[in-house]
Amino acid sequence: MAKITYVEHGGKEHVVDVANGLTVMEGARDNGIPGIEADCGGACACSTCHVYIDDAWVEKLPAKDAMEEDMLDFAYEPDPVKSRLTCQLKVTDALDGLRVQMPEKQI
């Protein structure tokens, strides 16, 4: 289980425990956190689960694969370093303390 902090664009924080094996997107969806729409349900086909990863965590996450890189081209104001799709981030104990910031809007 990992404690993940989801930060809305306006600054409101949601700290939730997310079970191992889920994705960071599923953690947001299952806890009713606004700002992550996840229109495709986690199939890496829409970019509506885009977030900015906290600076302290960028290097700790697995690298983006080609499919995620391609989908991020469709995200709203993607950052080449900090942008990730939360459907591609599998939760493990190693993500305990992760902070993600939602963009102003999705797409």
Side-chain angles (χ1 to χ4, degrees):
M1 177 126 356
K3 188 173 295 299
I4 299 176
T5 302
Y6 299 85
V7 184
E8 293 182 41
H9 179 72
K12 183 176 181 181
E13 295 188 3
H14 304 267
V15 181
V16 297
D17 290 321
V18 182
N20 290 348
L22 295 178
T23 64
V24 174
M25 178 276 291
E26 290 168 323
R29 180 197 63 202
D30 294 352
N31 287 283
I33 296 171
I36 295 180
E37 298 169 12
D39 291 343
C40 73
C44 197
C46 70
S47 78
T48 61
C49 66
H50 168 232
V51 297
Y52 303 111
I53 302 297
D54 187 84
D55 291 334
W57 282 89
V58 170
E59 296 297 321
K60 296 178 183 178
L61 298 178
K64 300 171 203 166
D65 65 17
M67 185 169 54
E68 182 179 2
E69 289 276 8
D70 288 345
M71 285 310 307
L72 282 167
D73 289 341
F74 299 101
Y76 179 75
E77 296 185 349
D79 180 283
V81 175
K82 296 171 62 169
S83 286
R84 293 300 300 262
L85 297 180
T86 55
C87 69
Q88 298 302 294
L89 298 173
K90 190 72 77 174
V91 174
T92 67
D93 290 341
L95 292 190
D96 189 48
L98 176 67
R99 291 180 59 85
V100 299
Q101 170 82 44
M102 273 74 97
E104 181 179 0
K105 62 183 180 178
Q106 296 289 348
I107 303 186

